Amino acid sequence: MDIEGGFCIKARGGYVGGGTKCGRWNPTTEQVKVLTELFRSGLRTPSTDQIQKISSQLSYYGKIESKNVFYWFQNHKARERQKRRRVSVNHREQKENHYEDQNHTNNNNNSSSIKTNITDIAQLNNHQVPDHQHHERVIETLQLFPLNSFSEMEAEKPMRFFPNDCRGNAASFSNYTIGADHMVHMDHHQYHPTLDLRLSFMS
Amino acid sequence: MDIEGGFCIKARGGYVGGGTKCGRWNPTTEQVKVLTELFRSGLRTPSTDQIQKISSQLSYYGKIESKNVFYWFQNHKARERQKRRRVSVNHREQKENHYEDQNHTNNNNNSSSIKTNITDIAQLNNHQVPDHQHHERVIETLQLFPLNSFSEMEAEKPMRFFPNDCRGNAASFSNYTIGADHMVHMDHHQYHPTLDLRLSFMS
DNA sequence: GCAAATTAATGATTTATTCAAG
DNA sequence: CTTGAATAAATCATTAATTTGC
């Protein structure tokens, strides 16, 4: 008996009950892994489009929705920042003006620093094109699944947690390049994606 | 069928244009009026359903989208609070649990059933800790039009948005007559510029 | 070994701050 | 200067880890 009607058997991600009980999303280890990898490769605030693609891809590993991806990045970004800030404080009591809080100032001089400050969420609907709102924001092209991110990643499967999740694993990420296509240079006028996620949660 | 992308005649901002160019929403005075009235009546955080209705109604006066309504309430709520906070601090250092506003004049005769268990957070610009865990969150039907509009204190319970669970009653909008200006009913069947409320990438 | 009780993580919401169009 | 929009910070709440008493 795998699925208890009333419980959510989870093994650090994976199956959530029998379908009726839907608590909150519980990512599978693979999902977390991929997300983390994306994060590490520089992705911070994925665009709507990116989110959808990621979500779509990750659904292979288990139940997931776009909003989960969105939230994951929000939280992860925030918590990484916070963690670092805390460490910083502990170590040397930076009491002076925290020079690091403003995000776009220095951030990481990471190699693949992605600045995509794209306003995430949705995008304007229908007909009327939002025109060239052209925000100043630097928007860099981002490859969602950089080749080097997954290549080997797929190889190692922790397996620590039993594969309760449906579809097991396997699945090579190798050929799913989410944004690898052209990632659409949004550099020019980007359409002001709009609408906040928060609105769409329901329904 | 003349959809009429939006006659955005604005008293305040002026004429926005014939429907193609739309930077940001520029509410008509009527729209603002209605929104303000709703706010004064106690509405703070309209549900999705409410938002849609409001949007739909207001579309009579001009181009508007659901998200505009959402944002309007977000901003208005925040700014009213902030405004008051500032005044409060400047004037008399209200240290009390001021659940009633000094700003507003006629709102004090609270007698209605709205239970505002919210301990008007804020007041300290500093991030105070809510302290109590207050899991209370009385789930009570949101009253759209409380008889006694308590001023600013945010009678809204942080109502959560359960995916499926509608908090039921979506109050009637039908009877909100603002001043002499009767609200045209939705019957008008405006084109309603979509509600992309439901979004884009949220499944 | 096992659950209830407790704690740690982290998913999901709300609030505050910032940005920039008009 | 006003304010719609977007983002970050803070908070809430649920689930998993972990501990504890049997």
Side-chain angles (χ1 to χ4, degrees), chain B residues 21 23-24 74 77 81 85 154 156 158-159 161:
Chain B
K21 174 61 163 60
R24 69 181 195 186
Q74 284 284 95
K77 176 170 62 175
R81 183 186 301 137
R85 192 178 299 154
E154 187 142 8
E156 52 137 2
M159 60 164 70
F161 287 21

Side-chain angles (χ1 to χ4, degrees), chain A residues 78-89:
Chain A
R79 282 167 180 149
E80 282 296 312
R81 184 185 299 137
Q82 159 182 351
K83 185 189 304 177
R84 183 182 320 183
R85 199 170 290 166
R86 194 158 358 190
V87 169
S88 182
V89 169

Side-chain angles (χ1 to χ4, degrees), chain B residues 47 49-50 53 142 144-145 167-174:
Chain B
S47 67
D49 203 40
Q50 293 170 339
K53 288 188 170 116
L142 170 65
L144 274 192
F145 303 100
R167 56 203 58 64
N169 61 17
S172 57
F173 248 98
S174 48

Side-chain angles (χ1 to χ4, degrees), chain B residues 27-197:
Chain B
T28 66
T29 49
E30 287 83 3
Q31 287 171 335
V32 171
K33 193 171 174 182
V34 172
L35 290 170
T36 301
E37 190 60 27
L38 286 173
F39 187 89
R40 286 210 309 170
S41 298
L43 184 57
R44 293 291 181 279
T45 308
S47 67
T48 305
D49 203 40
Q50 293 170 339
I51 287 176
Q52 289 208 22
K53 288 188 170 116
I54 295 171
S55 175
S56 182
Q57 294 282 350
L58 293 186
S59 68
Y60 176 81
Y61 295 116
K63 190 170 179 309
I64 188 173
E65 291 177 65
S66 297
K67 66 175 181 179
N68 303 134
V69 175
F70 170 79
Y71 282 133
W72 190 92
F73 276 95
Q74 284 284 95
N75 285 320
H76 199 70
K77 176 170 62 175
R79 281 163 185 154
E80 281 298 310
R81 183 186 301 137
Q82 161 182 344
K83 184 191 305 176
R84 187 176 58 147
R85 192 178 299 154
R86 202 153 297 171
V87 170
S88 183
V89 169
N90 279 345
H91 275 211
R92 59 181 67 182
E93 301 294 328
Q94 294 253 351
K95 307 178 73 67
E96 291 294 68
N97 184 3
H98 53 301
Y99 46 78
E100 49 190 354
D101 197 2
Q102 56 181 13
N103 262 357
H104 298 63
T105 57
N106 59 3
N107 297 328
N108 294 336
N109 50 2
N110 57 356
S111 59
S112 175
S113 60
I114 293 190
K115 62 178 63 173
T116 129
N117 59 2
I118 303 297
T119 62
D120 186 27
I121 42 187
Q123 138 176 8
L124 281 214
N125 201 350
N126 314 340
H127 317 296
Q128 78 309 343
V129 277
D131 210 8
H132 335 71
Q133 277 300 82
H134 268 214
H135 285 201
E136 239 220 309
R137 300 204 165 194
V138 180
I139 290 184
E140 100 182 4
T141 59
L142 170 65
Q143 304 188 14
L144 274 192
F145 303 100
L147 300 184
N148 64 334
S149 45
F150 38 91
S151 35
E152 205 273 333
M153 76 187 163
E154 187 142 8
E156 52 137 2
K157 52 229 133 266
M159 60 164 70
R160 302 186 52 204
F161 287 21
F162 280 84
N164 285 331
D165 173 75
C166 41
R167 56 203 58 64
N169 61 17
S172 57
F173 248 98
S174 48
N175 53 357
Y176 87 97
T177 56
I178 295 176
D181 194 345
H182 55 66
M183 190 67 174
V184 179
H185 282 18
M186 230 155 81
D187 317 356
H188 278 349
H189 138 286
Q190 323 300 337
Y191 53 97
H192 200 4
T194 28
L195 7 126
D196 54 80
L197 251 201

Side-chain angles (χ1 to χ4, degrees), chain B residues 2-21:
Chain B
D2 181 2
I3 291 187
E4 215 295 14
F7 51 100
C8 300
I9 295 178
K10 294 297 296 326
R12 239 181 13 187
Y15 188 74
V16 169
T20 54
K21 174 61 163 60

Side-chain angles (χ1 to χ4, degrees), chain A residues 42-62:
Chain A
L43 185 57
R44 292 291 180 281
T45 307
S47 67
T48 304
D49 200 42
Q50 293 170 334
I51 287 176
Q52 292 220 38
K53 288 182 172 127
I54 295 171
S55 174
S56 181
Q57 294 288 347
L58 292 185
S59 68
Y60 177 82
Y61 294 116

Side-chain angles (χ1 to χ4, degrees), chain A:
Chain A
M1 180 62 101
D2 294 334
I3 307 167
E4 291 289 1
F7 295 78
C8 291
I9 297 179
K10 324 248 323 264
R12 180 66 189 95
Y15 214 105
V16 177
T20 55
K21 181 74 180 322
C22 293
R24 64 183 196 186
W25 170 58
N26 209 7
T28 65
T29 49
E30 287 82 5
Q31 287 171 335
V32 172
K33 196 168 179 180
V34 172
L35 290 170
T36 302
E37 192 61 25
L38 286 173
F39 187 89
R40 287 210 311 170
S41 61
L43 185 57
R44 292 291 180 281
T45 307
S47 67
T48 304
D49 200 42
Q50 293 170 334
I51 287 176
Q52 292 220 38
K53 288 182 172 127
I54 295 171
S55 174
S56 181
Q57 294 288 347
L58 292 185
S59 68
Y60 177 82
Y61 294 116
K63 189 172 177 305
I64 190 175
E65 290 176 67
S66 297
K67 65 176 181 180
N68 302 133
V69 175
F70 170 79
Y71 283 137
W72 191 91
F73 276 95
Q74 285 283 97
N75 284 320
H76 199 70
K77 177 170 57 178
R79 282 167 180 149
E80 282 296 312
R81 184 185 299 137
Q82 159 182 351
K83 185 189 304 177
R84 183 182 320 183
R85 199 170 290 166
R86 194 158 358 190
V87 169
S88 182
V89 169
N90 274 346
H91 276 208
R92 54 187 69 182
E93 297 291 327
Q94 297 278 349
K95 301 180 66 65
E96 55 198 9
N97 295 336
H98 34 299
Y99 46 84
E100 61 127 348
D101 63 349
Q102 289 304 342
N103 53 1
H104 47 53
T105 53
N106 60 3
N107 207 350
N108 293 337
N109 38 9
N110 186 356
S111 57
S112 64
S113 68
I114 292 175
K115 301 267 181 40
T116 152
N117 239 350
I118 299 178
T119 63
D120 346 6
I121 342 300
Q123 61 184 17
L124 247 194
N125 52 356
N126 66 359
H127 344 348
Q128 28 115 7
V129 190
D131 292 358
H132 24 294
Q133 274 312 17
H134 191 87
H135 282 184
E136 193 66 297
R137 312 183 168 185
V138 180
I139 294 168
E140 264 182 38
T141 303
L142 167 72
Q143 288 202 341
L144 278 194
F145 287 90
L147 301 182
N148 57 2
S149 295
F150 296 88
S151 333
E152 67 274 18
M153 187 168 86
E154 152 204 319
E156 62 152 12
K157 302 295 202 259
M159 270 314 190
R160 291 174 49 219
F161 310 99
F162 65 92
N164 188 1
D165 74 340
C166 29
R167 336 176 189 342
N169 37 27
S172 48
F173 255 122
S174 47
N175 55 358
Y176 83 157
T177 49
I178 281 181
D181 40 76
H182 302 310
M183 216 49 219
V184 186
H185 287 258
M186 295 161 167
D187 285 291
H188 300 301
H189 58 294
Q190 99 144 17
Y191 295 172
H192 206 85
T194 50
L195 209 212
D196 194 277
L197 265 191
R198 290 169 286 198
L199 282 182
S200 4
F201 290 158
M202 34 242 115
S203 96

